Amino acid sequence: MQIGIFANGLRDVGFKVADKLVSVLESKGIKVKIHKQTEENYIFPDNAARTLKGCDVIMILGGDGTVLSVAGFASDNNIPLLGVNTGHTGFLTEVEADGLEEAAAHLASGDYSVEERSTVSVDIGGKSYFALNDVVLSKGANTRPVDIKVDVDSQLLDRYFADGIIISTPTGSTAYSLSAGGPVLSPDIEGLIIIPICAHSLHSRPLVVSDKHTLYVSTEPHPKNTAVIVDGKTVCELSYKTEFFVKKSQKTVKFIKINGKSFYSKLLHKMNYWGVTDIDSNDKE
């Protein structure tokens, strides 16, 4: 087995966790390749692709943003991911930094499972982008809300006068979508969440639709700097009327599961990180 490591140096200061992980993996007889990322731009660099291509597993040291930056490359190359949390909440990560020995033992023995997460493709301006978490239309620094129309296939869903809109996958339901008041979806739900951001309305609420549909988003003329943001990266800044569409992608992202905890157990513990912090870790799942 050959394991690649993608280490975010702004989350793993001095790459102390990364260096320890290399030693732990090599002690188990596992070959290791490592890329040490020093810039926090969340764009997967070409030199990392050259280093990590052909690995059996990629271990990611960082937070959820770091995982998202690697997800597209991993999907294209059919490489499963195992996240080690050196960031904050780390909902997309599987183990904490103090669990390296256990993680290495599971990998060496093959004692793990693989979970596939659905993704969406975003088509705008003749280009296509990949999203594991979400697609966001945001008014940016402007103070005036944006006039947004959403169609599900050929049917009008609603019009929103809002600061923007979020279209989230089930994986992204615990990220920006949750902060904006959206529901949490289990990863095995085949749906997409549509959440208007601060809509100037008495009726606008988050909606969940089947991911078998294509969502068309269009805007009326609006101030400059409105942007389309895909998994935290701005892919297009708009200066006038535009439209784009979002649909389920054929691509998936594979995540290694080793600790046996359910999605709901992780939800309980991770989402209480900033609130109740004394939940008994031995509670039944």
Side-chain angles (χ1 to χ4, degrees):
M1 170 179 275
Q2 181 168 260
I3 291 181
I5 300 172
F6 185 93
N8 181 346
L10 298 181
R11 294 287 181 249
D12 176 19
V13 178
F15 297 106
K16 295 178 181 179
V17 178
D19 292 340
K20 180 180 178 181
L21 179 58
V22 171
S23 298
V24 170
L25 292 172
E26 289 180 342
S27 72
K28 305 290 185 185
I30 298 173
K31 296 179 180 179
V32 179
K33 290 183 176 181
I34 185 168
H35 172 81
K36 294 181 176 181
Q37 180 76 356
T38 56
E39 297 180 5
E40 193 172 20
N41 54 18
Y42 294 129
I43 295 175
F44 193 75
D46 291 340
N47 56 342
R50 290 191 294 269
T51 299
L52 302 177
K53 193 168 185 177
C55 291
D56 299 299
V57 173
I58 297 176
M59 296 187 71
I60 302 170
L61 275 61
D64 288 345
T66 312
V67 174
L68 291 175
S69 71
V70 183
F73 169 82
S75 177
D76 289 341
N77 290 275
N78 196 32
I79 304 173
L81 302 176
L82 175 59
V84 178
N85 185 28
T86 58
H88 295 295
T89 304
F91 200 86
L92 295 177
T93 60
E94 180 69 6
V95 298
E96 302 299 317
D98 59 0
L100 301 182
E101 289 280 356
E102 180 185 6
H106 280 276
L107 291 171
S109 65
D111 181 21
Y112 58 85
S113 60
V114 177
E115 177 182 83
E116 291 193 55
R117 298 288 186 96
S118 63
T119 67
V120 294
S121 63
V122 187
D123 291 82
I124 181 170
K127 295 183 179 181
S128 183
Y129 303 92
F130 160 97
L132 172 62
N133 258 11
D134 51 39
V135 183
V136 179
L137 174 69
S138 173
K139 71 180 181 63
N142 298 310
T143 58
R144 183 178 182 274
V146 183
D147 190 352
I148 305 166
K149 181 167 77 78
V150 180
D151 293 304
V152 179
D153 295 331
S154 60
Q155 298 293 314
L156 174 66
L157 175 67
D158 208 342
R159 294 189 68 159
Y160 307 99
F161 194 54
D163 286 355
I165 195 166
I166 304 167
I167 299 174
S168 171
T169 67
T171 296
S173 70
T174 55
Y176 189 14
S177 170
L178 179 65
S179 299
V184 174
L185 298 187
S186 170
D188 57 353
I189 297 294
E190 296 180 346
L192 297 172
I193 309 170
I194 303 166
I195 312 102
I197 304 171
C198 297
H200 194 75
S201 167
L202 292 176
H203 82 273
S204 296
R205 294 291 184 269
L207 292 170
V208 179
V209 300
S210 168
D211 64 10
K212 295 179 175 61
H213 299 298
T214 298
L215 305 181
Y216 294 85
V217 181
S218 58
T219 64
E220 292 301 315
H222 51 74
K224 293 182 179 181
N225 301 321
T226 299
V228 178
I229 303 164
V230 178
D231 276 354
K233 299 183 287 290
T234 299
V235 300
C236 182
E237 289 192 353
L238 313 175
S239 59
Y240 195 65
K241 182 176 181 178
T242 192
E243 63 181 7
F244 61 93
F245 64 91
V246 180
K247 64 181 179 180
K248 184 178 180 178
S249 173
Q250 296 299 313
K251 296 180 179 181
T252 62
V253 179
K254 296 180 178 179
F255 285 90
I256 287 179
K257 312 296 291 182
I258 65 170
N259 59 24
K261 290 185 177 180
S262 71
F263 168 79
Y264 304 102
S265 174
K266 179 180 283 189
L267 182 69
L268 176 64
H269 288 270
K270 291 285 188 177
M271 291 297 101
N272 276 286
Y273 182 84
W274 301 112
V276 181
T277 57
D278 59 351
I279 296 175
D280 184 358
S281 61
N282 294 317
D283 284 349
K284 294 182 179 180
E285 298 173 11

